[in-house]
Amino acid sequence: MELNRIEHRLVDGGSVHHVTVPGGAWDRRTAQELVALAAELREDRSARVITLAARETPFCAGPAPDLDPTAFDPDPAAAWATLRPPVVAVVDGACES
């Protein structure tokens, strides 16, 4: 899936992944991209650590009106919880689900 809402950068030869979400309320597209990227990262054996940050505060203001959290299987949080490398959340402001 092409990433339009989130940014994914690799550093240190691809062993460190920096993922940046828009911040504020997460919409359907952001959730879809997070689930797709988690599936991609799950297969990347060179990944040693993943950081997850937001461009704006709050980190997550909950779902936007176009996002039905029950419509995802897995939901973004569950998809990221299954990743092998540690995920470091760089949270500035609130984080609501």
Side-chain angles (χ1 to χ4, degrees):
M1 167 179 277
E2 182 178 340
L3 302 178
N4 295 313
R5 301 280 296 143
I6 64 176
E7 177 185 326
H8 176 217
R9 295 183 300 118
L10 301 174
V11 295
D12 291 337
S15 64
V16 178
H17 294 255
H18 294 292
V19 178
T20 306
V21 296
W26 289 9
D27 61 12
R28 181 174 180 76
R29 179 64 190 203
T30 301
Q32 289 171 326
E33 289 182 19
L34 283 168
V35 170
L37 183 56
E40 181 182 316
L41 293 172
R42 194 172 304 109
E43 301 303 318
D44 185 348
R45 296 293 175 222
S46 66
R48 297 293 175 247
V49 67
I50 302 164
T51 65
L52 178 63
R55 284 189 288 275
E56 302 169 6
T57 57
F59 178 80
C60 178
D66 74 334
L67 175 60
D68 175 6
T70 63
F72 285 88
D73 186 28
D75 68 72
W80 281 71
T82 64
L83 295 177
R84 182 188 48 79
V87 177
V88 179
V90 183
V91 178
D92 183 13
C95 182
E96 300 179 27
S97 62

